[in-house]
């Protein structure tokens, strides 16, 4: 029986992956940094364990490399942002002992850092939001302020006084793009697409833009072409989700971010 190790068992999408793999007769080892992680309570786990925090890269890598070698794990699937970046950066260590379907670190850096993502996208003819390097450049509100990395602390700012009071270190200031959110999801193997899916967000929280609370599956050739253009150019490996907004002002897709990991 094939054995797969999943990190970040505290995420709801990890629980979904645990169930789907077990349904295919895969032995699932679930890891988390706390015993409170919901995935560790799943009856579909064959093994459960506590791992070091993936942000502590050296300790995390040493622990997992040792575990997968001793326990003959066939594949390691990092789920969360920190785990995906760490495994990507140290992929050569893991590849000595198991399979790791994650992108090369050069591609991971571009996909996970907003400034690099936007610069890369523009080089490949993909529309991105207008960015502001300084507060004085902002000529229209609202604007969106979000971290250059993972975007959990996204904020909408409606006036200049509020913008000045915000800590702007490590963030991107960009125009607000009105419109519905769209996602292009893909599975790649060494630069070649193997499967893909698309959706449109029906509802989000907050309503101005955020995590989707309802979505519908769609098929859109333009969305597929833009998404594959980016991931092909990155020579992607593993899973990714490319997020867009369809601008209500002109009907064009505008890139929001590349999610270089399993999505929520």
């Amino acid at each position: 029986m094939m054995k797969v190790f999943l990190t970040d068992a505290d995420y709801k999408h990890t629980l979904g992956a645990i169930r789907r793999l077990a349904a295919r007769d895969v032995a699932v080892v679930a890891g988390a940094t706390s015993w409170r992680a919901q995935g560790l309570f799943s009856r579909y786990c064959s093994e459960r364990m506590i791992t070091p925090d993936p942000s502590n890269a050296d300790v995390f890598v040493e622990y997992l490399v040792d575990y997968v070698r001793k326990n003959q794990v066939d594949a390691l699937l990092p789920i969360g942002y920190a785990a995906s970046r760490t495994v990507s950066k140290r992929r050569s260590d893991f590849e000595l002992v198991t399979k790791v379907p994650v992108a090369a670190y050069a591609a991971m850096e571009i996909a996970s850092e907003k400034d690099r993502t936007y610069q890369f996208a523009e080089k490949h003819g993909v529309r991105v939001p207008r960015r502001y390097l300084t507060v004085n450049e902002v000529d229209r509100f609202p604007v969106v302020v979000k971290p250059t990395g993972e975007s959990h602390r996204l904020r909408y700012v409606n006036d200049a006084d509020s913008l000045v009071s915000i800590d702007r270190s490590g963030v991107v200031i960009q125009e607000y793009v009105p419109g519905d959110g769209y996602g292009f999801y893909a599975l790649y193997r060494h630069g070649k697409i193997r499967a893909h899916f698309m959706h449109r967000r029906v509802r989000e929280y907050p309503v101005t833009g955020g995590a989707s609370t309802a979505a519908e599956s769609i098929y859109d050739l333009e969305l597929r072409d833009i998404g594959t253009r980016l991931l092909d150019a990155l020579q992607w490996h593993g899973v990714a989700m490319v997020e867009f907004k369809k601008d209500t002002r002109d009907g064009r897709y505008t890139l929001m971010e590349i999610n270089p990991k399993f999505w929520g």
Side-chain angles (χ1 to χ4, degrees):
M1 177 182 286
M2 185 178 187
K3 182 185 288 188
V4 176
F5 191 109
L6 301 182
T7 69
D8 303 287
D10 46 322
Y11 292 160
K12 64 181 184 295
H13 44 296
T14 311
L15 179 58
I18 290 170
R19 291 170 173 169
R20 294 296 295 170
L21 286 170
R24 301 296 291 269
D25 295 322
V26 173
V28 179
V29 183
T33 58
S34 168
W35 284 115
R36 295 190 297 273
Q38 60 181 329
L40 299 184
F41 292 90
S42 173
R43 63 177 175 166
Y44 296 105
C45 293
S46 61
E47 297 177 47
R48 303 161 179 82
M49 59 186 304
I50 299 300
T51 68
D53 192 314
S55 60
N56 189 347
D58 289 339
V59 177
F60 178 78
V61 171
E62 181 180 357
Y63 183 87
L64 282 192
V65 166
D66 183 64
Y67 179 86
V68 299
R69 179 177 57 243
K70 290 180 178 178
N71 293 274
Q72 297 181 322
V73 173
D74 296 290
L76 168 66
L77 294 181
I79 303 294
Y81 181 81
S84 296
R85 281 182 61 96
T86 297
V87 172
S88 173
K89 189 171 185 178
R90 301 286 293 273
R91 191 169 72 164
S92 60
D93 294 315
F94 287 105
E95 286 179 331
L96 295 173
V97 293
T98 192
K99 292 181 172 62
V100 278
V102 295
Y105 193 60
M108 179 68 70
E109 281 191 302
I110 292 171
S112 59
E113 297 178 12
K114 299 292 187 304
D115 287 333
R116 294 191 182 195
T117 300
Y118 291 149
Q119 292 170 16
F120 184 84
E122 287 178 315
K123 288 180 181 178
H124 291 85
V126 176
R127 187 185 190 187
V128 301
R130 178 184 175 189
R131 282 101 67 209
Y132 303 101
L133 299 179
T134 68
V135 173
N136 293 333
E137 290 183 12
V138 179
D139 55 1
R140 180 182 300 176
F141 288 92
V143 294
V144 181
V145 179
K146 56 187 178 183
T148 56
E150 206 170 14
S151 296
H152 290 318
R153 301 189 310 275
L154 182 147
R155 288 170 288 185
Y156 297 91
V157 181
N158 295 305
D159 57 75
D161 290 340
S162 299
L163 185 59
V164 169
S165 65
I166 288 176
D167 180 6
R168 297 183 297 280
S169 58
V171 300
V172 175
I173 304 172
Q174 64 185 49
E175 68 169 321
Y176 172 75
V177 178
D180 292 334
Y182 287 77
F184 173 80
Y185 305 81
L187 170 66
Y188 270 70
R189 183 178 182 183
H190 301 300
K192 302 295 184 181
I193 192 166
R194 296 303 187 192
H196 64 281
F197 178 81
M198 290 165 272
H199 84 192
R200 179 182 72 85
R201 292 183 173 193
V202 177
R203 292 191 301 274
E204 298 178 326
Y205 180 81
V207 294
T208 49
S212 59
T213 58
E216 65 176 354
S217 59
I218 64 165
Y219 194 83
D220 184 295
L221 288 174
E222 182 184 5
L223 181 62
R224 185 201 66 182
D225 290 346
I226 301 172
T228 54
R229 187 190 315 166
L230 287 171
L231 296 177
D232 285 356
L234 285 168
Q235 283 292 289
W236 199 253
H237 184 57
V239 298
M241 181 267 203
V242 190
E243 183 180 342
F244 297 88
K245 271 199 169 184
K246 194 169 189 179
D247 197 325
T248 55
R249 296 170 294 190
D250 57 15
R252 294 179 62 191
Y253 284 114
T254 302
L255 176 67
M256 294 291 106
E257 64 180 12
I258 300 175
N259 200 351
K261 62 178 183 62
F262 283 92
W263 42 89

